[in-house]
Amino acid sequence: MKFFIDTANLAQIKEANELGILDGVTTNPSLMAKEGIKGNEAVMNHYKAICEMVDGDISAEVIATDFNGIVEEGKKLAAIHPNIIVKVPMIKDGVKALKYFSDNGIKTNCTLVFSAGQAILAAKAGATYVSPFIGRIDDSSWDGVELIAQMAQIYSIQGYKTEILAASIRSALHIVKCAEAGADVCTCPLESILGLLKHPLTDIGLAKFLEDAKKTA
Ligand code: G3P
């Protein structure tokens, strides 16, 4: 399973990248706004900065919701850097645009996916990645990880090439469960990635080793 970080914060991207396990970055308009990025030029420059930091797929989301607007915006985003993945919402014109981008060699990430039906449409349209938002599904008292498992089964039976990118991750346990359910990629906040490190027996064991090492010094 590939690891992406789900943020537009350059310090967090740097920290995750320095771990050596990062395969890419996902952003969205909310994450860009959180960093105070304002204006088209600043947005473009921020994507460029991320692409220069991380050697991997970088998702940049379109704001347009009509076919022509999505295509125009997507082309501009794709021109920033060869690693840009154009993020397109799961709406009717979005599906049309996914097919257009797929036919024209532009990689995509279909976002705001909450059902297996939507996941089938994204795959049929040739999306490179599909992003089910598992945390938001859990927030609505449905089971996000169950959707990942269902999608993995359907994609395997049907031979779809689209990669399942588990998004809206809220915990280290979500990452483990997504890996178990067959996600190809997990995009996570830094905190959840670092959460994978934690185990009290590791801390206790290390303290004991260091204490005993003094006896051999
Ligand atoms: O990048 C999209 C997704 O990961 C959003 O997560 O936490 O806002 O539901 P969240």
Side-chain angles (χ1 to χ4, degrees):
M1 187 172 75
K2 287 188 271 189
F3 267 52
F4 290 176
I5 187 166
D6 195 24
T7 185
N9 182 284
L10 297 181
Q12 290 188 12
I13 293 171
K14 185 171 182 283
E15 187 176 340
N17 201 30
E18 282 172 358
L19 273 176
I21 50 94
L22 200 63
D23 300 297
V25 180
T26 52
T27 61
N28 62 40
S30 307
L31 294 171
M32 294 292 276
K34 198 172 160 193
E35 299 309 313
I37 318 294
K38 214 172 155 54
N40 190 52
E41 202 185 329
V43 167
M44 295 300 210
N45 286 339
H46 201 75
Y47 287 139
K48 198 162 176 271
I50 296 173
C51 290
E52 280 162 7
M53 281 174 81
V54 178
D55 182 20
D57 287 348
I58 313 297
S59 285
E61 188 159 342
V62 298
I63 310 298
T65 54
D66 64 292
F67 175 76
N68 289 330
I70 295 172
V71 166
E72 190 187 335
E73 211 183 319
K75 282 179 177 171
K76 283 184 191 153
L77 290 169
I80 297 173
H81 193 278
N83 290 352
I84 287 282
I85 306 292
V86 179
K87 209 170 175 186
V88 178
M90 171 40 74
I91 53 175
K92 202 170 170 186
D93 280 31
V95 172
K96 281 167 68 180
L98 288 169
K99 178 73 173 85
Y100 173 89
F101 288 135
S102 160
D103 289 345
N104 286 277
I106 292 176
K107 289 185 178 175
T108 53
N109 174 359
C110 180
T111 188
L112 289 167
V113 165
F114 295 90
S115 75
Q118 292 177 326
I120 290 171
L121 268 182
K124 286 293 293 175
T128 314
Y129 295 104
V130 60
S131 290
F133 277 27
I134 71 161
R136 293 191 196 183
I137 292 174
D138 286 2
D139 290 344
S140 329
S141 79
W142 293 59
D143 189 336
V145 171
E146 214 167 78
L147 175 61
I148 301 290
Q150 188 185 19
M151 284 172 57
Q153 193 187 10
I154 292 170
Y155 279 24
S156 161
I157 291 168
Q158 299 298 331
Y160 292 147
K161 299 281 177 281
T162 301
E163 292 188 53
I164 301 169
L165 194 171
S168 185
I169 296 293
R170 300 281 157 78
S171 66
L173 181 60
H174 260 162
I175 301 175
V176 174
K177 290 288 177 189
C178 284
E180 204 174 29
D184 300 292
V185 192
C186 218
T187 188
C188 328
L190 179 63
E191 202 186 353
S192 303
I193 298 175
L194 297 179
L196 293 172
L197 281 167
K198 289 183 195 164
H199 199 289
L201 290 178
T202 303
D203 300 337
I204 292 165
L206 182 61
K208 177 81 174 119
F209 284 154
L210 293 178
E211 192 187 308
D212 289 342
K214 284 182 200 155
K215 297 173 194 164
T216 65

